[in-house]
C-alpha cells in the first residue's frame, strides 16, 4: 500500500481518536518513512455467520503500461533512488443487477496473531466501501482489506495502479484460491529491500473484494487468508478510525 492510499483509507478520521502514540512504517515500494498516529486498537475475534455460496463474478483483467520512466525521490537515509514504470490494471466484473449501493453484510479476514489494526473505516457517498488495515510495527509486512458495494462502483474502483522497476511489468492473471476465482496482481519489490505486494480481487456479484498481503506470502498463505474472509455479525468493533458520531450516522 502506498502513502496516498493509506491516508485515503483513514480519511475523515476523528482527531480525538488519533491521540495515541506515533508509529512509523517504511513507505511501501518507494522506501519513504510515513508517520501514522494510532489510538484505538480493536481485537479481531471474528464471529462468523454462515457464508453464502460465492458466484465468481470477476472474470478477467488487463494491464496497460506507461512506458515513461519515473525516478523516485532520493531516500535521505541511504541516498537510494529507483527507476520505475507505472501500470494500470483494469478489472472485468459482472455485477448483479440488484447489487447493493451500501454494504448490508460486512466481511473480514482473520489476520495472523500479533498484527495491530491501525485503520477501519466506512467511506463513500453512499456509504458503499469499508477499508481495514493491519500491520506489525517496525516490519514491512501488512494486510489491507477493502470491501465495496457493487451498486456503488465507479470506473476508478475497477482500476489498480501498480509500480515496478523500469522495464518490467507486474505479473497479473486469473487465479483461484479457496474455490474463488479472482484476479491476482504480483507487484514485485523494487530495488534492494523495497517491499512488493500480492493483491487479489474477487467478487460474488454483490460486492467487490480486495485483499493485499506482503509479496513474501506463498500461494498457500494467500489461499488461507482468502478462505478466512467471512461475514461478521457486527462490524463496529473493527471501525477503529471512526468516531462515535460517524458510527451513529451510519448505523442510526
Amino acid at each position: 500500500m502506498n502513502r496516498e492510499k493509506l491516508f485515503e483509507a483513514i480519511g475523515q478520521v476523528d482527531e480525538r481518536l488519533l491521540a495515541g502514540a506515533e508509529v512509523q512504517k517504511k513507505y511501501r515500494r518507494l522506501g519513504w518513512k510515513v508517520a501514522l498516529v494510532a489510538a484505538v486498537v480493536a481485537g479481531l475475534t471474528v464471529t462468523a455467520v454462515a457464508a453464502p455460496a460465492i458466484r465468481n463474478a470477476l472474470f478477467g483483467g488487463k494491464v496497460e503500461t506507461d512506458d515513461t520512466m519515473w525516478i523516485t525521490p532520493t531516500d535521505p537515509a541511504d541516498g537510494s533512488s529507483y527507476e520505475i514504470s507505472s501500470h494500470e490494471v483494469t478489472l472485468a466484473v459482472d455485477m448483479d443487477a440488484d447489487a447493493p449501493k451500501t454494504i448490508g453484510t460486512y466481511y473480514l479476514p482473520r489476520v495472523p496473531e500479533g498484527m495491530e489494526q491501525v485503520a477501519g473505516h466506512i467511506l463513500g457517498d453512499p456509504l458503499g466501501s469499508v477499508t481495514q488495515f493491519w500491520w506489525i510495527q517496525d516490519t514491512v509486512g501488512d494486510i489491507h482489506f477493502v470491501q465495496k458495494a457493487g451498486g456503488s462502483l465507479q470506473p476508478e474502483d475497477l482500476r489498480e495502479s501498480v509500480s515496478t522497476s523500469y522495464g518490467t511489468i507486474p505479473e497479473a492473471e486469473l487465479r483461484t484460491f479457496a474455490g474463488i476465482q479472482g484476479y491476482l496482481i504480483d507487484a514485485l519489490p523494487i530495488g534492494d529491500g523495497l517491499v512488493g505486494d500480492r493483491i487479489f480481487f474477487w467478487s460474488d456479484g454483490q460486492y467487490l473484494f480486495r485483499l493485499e498481503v506482503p509479496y513474501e506470502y506463498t500461494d498457500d498463505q494467500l489461499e488461507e487468508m482468502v478462505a478466512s474472509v467471512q461475514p461478521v455479525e457486527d462490524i463496529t468493533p473493527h471501525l477503529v478510525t471512526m468516531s462515535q458520531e460517524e458510527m451513529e450516522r451510519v448505523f442510526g
Side-chain angles (χ1 to χ4, degrees), residues 26-27 29 31 82 140 189-196 216:
K26 192 172 186 179
Y27 179 36
R29 303 195 189 106
Y82 301 95
V140 296
I190 298 173
D192 297 327
L194 299 188
V195 297
E216 292 75 17

Side-chain angles (χ1 to χ4, degrees), residues 65-72 82-86 164-167:
T65 297
D66 184 345
D67 291 327
T68 304
M69 182 180 71
W70 304 90
I71 308 280
T72 68
Y82 301 95
E83 299 175 348
I84 64 172
S85 295
S86 181
T164 65
S165 295
Y166 181 67

Side-chain angles (χ1 to χ4, degrees), residues 44-45 110-117 134-136 143 217 224-225:
L44 290 178
T45 301
R110 187 178 298 278
V111 303
E113 291 186 8
M115 299 202 79
E116 174 187 7
Q117 186 179 9
W134 300 264
W135 73 22
I136 297 178
I143 293 173
Y217 264 45
E224 182 179 0
M225 184 67 65

Side-chain angles (χ1 to χ4, degrees), residues 87-151:
H87 317 272
E88 187 172 271
V89 181
T90 304
L91 305 173
V93 186
D94 180 22
M95 282 292 171
D96 296 341
D98 64 349
K101 294 183 179 298
T102 59
I103 297 176
T105 301
Y106 292 92
Y107 289 76
L108 278 177
R110 187 178 298 278
V111 303
E113 291 186 8
M115 299 202 79
E116 174 187 7
Q117 186 179 9
V118 293
H121 212 95
I122 298 175
L123 303 168
D125 185 15
L127 294 163
S129 177
V130 61
T131 185
Q132 312 277 345
F133 184 79
W134 300 264
W135 73 22
I136 297 178
Q137 188 175 344
D138 298 326
T139 74
V140 296
D142 57 50
I143 293 173
H144 183 211
F145 179 70
V146 176
Q147 176 187 353
K148 293 181 179 288

Side-chain angles (χ1 to χ4, degrees), residues 5 14 20 23 33 45 65 67 102 110 117 140 154 186 189 193 203 216 221 231 236 250:
K5 288 182 182 178
D14 189 321
V23 296
K33 292 289 180 86
T45 301
T65 297
D67 291 327
T102 59
R110 187 178 298 278
Q117 186 179 9
V140 296
Q154 301 298 315
D186 281 331
S203 175
E216 292 75 17
Q221 287 175 302
T236 57
V250 172

Side-chain angles (χ1 to χ4, degrees), residues 196-228:
D197 304 300
R198 307 195 78 187
I199 308 169
F200 187 60
F201 291 89
W202 73 95
S203 175
D204 61 357
Q206 295 285 296
Y207 301 104
L208 178 68
F209 301 96
R210 178 189 187 277
L211 176 65
E212 178 182 328
V213 299
Y215 183 76
E216 292 75 17
Y217 264 45
T218 65
D219 283 357
D220 287 345
Q221 287 175 302
L222 178 54
E223 182 160 48
E224 182 179 0
M225 184 67 65
V226 172
S228 78

Side-chain angles (χ1 to χ4, degrees), residues 26-44:
K26 192 172 186 179
Y27 179 36
R28 179 174 289 277
R29 303 195 189 106
L30 301 184
W32 299 336
K33 292 289 180 86
V34 179
L36 178 66
V37 181
V40 183
V41 178
L44 290 178

